[in-house]
Amino acid sequence: MEEAATSRQTLKKTERLHLKSQIDRLFGGGHSRSFTSFPLRVVLQEIPFDETTPHAQILVSVPKRHLKHAVDRNRVKRQVREAYRKNKQSLLALLAAEKKALAIAFIWMDRHMHSSAEIETIVVQLLSRIAENIQSR
C-alpha cells in the first residue's frame, strides 16, 4: 500500500510557495533567475536545502490585468498546476541528486486562455530549461 502512495503524482501543500517571506525573497532578492516561454514566465531561486522541505516549491500567478474574470484566472492556475504535477518527476529527481531546492513561480503573461495540452507542452519546456540551468551551475 505504501508503494502506491509514493508513486502517486500529487501536489501537496508543502510543495506550494505560500509564505509572504519566501515570496518576497523570490521576487525581491537579486539571486533569482527568470526566463520566458510565452505565455508563461518562470522566476526561480535556489533556496537552502533541508531534508524536511520539498526539493521544489511552486507559485502560480495570473494577474488580474491579463485575465479580468476570476473564473478564467482560476482555470489557468489549475491548468498550470496540473501540468507541473504531471511532469515534475524528472526535475525533482535531478534536484534530489544535486541536493538542491528551488522556489519556482509561474507567471501568466497572455490576455487569452490556452488549451490544457498547449499549457502542458509549455510547462514541460520550462521544466527542461530549469533542469538545464541546474546542471550547468
Side-chain angles (χ1 to χ4, degrees), residues 31-80:
H31 301 289
S32 59
R33 298 180 301 277
S34 172
F35 45 87
T36 303
S37 180
F38 193 79
L40 282 171
R41 177 175 163 236
V42 168
V43 179
L44 64 123
Q45 181 181 40
E46 195 168 323
I47 56 177
F49 175 69
D50 183 10
E51 293 292 334
T52 60
T53 60
H55 289 285
Q57 292 182 311
I58 68 161
L59 165 82
V60 181
S61 174
V62 182
K64 195 175 195 178
R65 69 174 173 224
H66 295 313
L67 292 173
K68 300 291 183 199
H69 300 284
V71 172
D72 296 335
R73 292 193 303 273
N74 291 339
R75 174 158 183 190
V76 168
K77 286 191 250 184
R78 277 196 309 273
Q79 288 173 316
V80 172

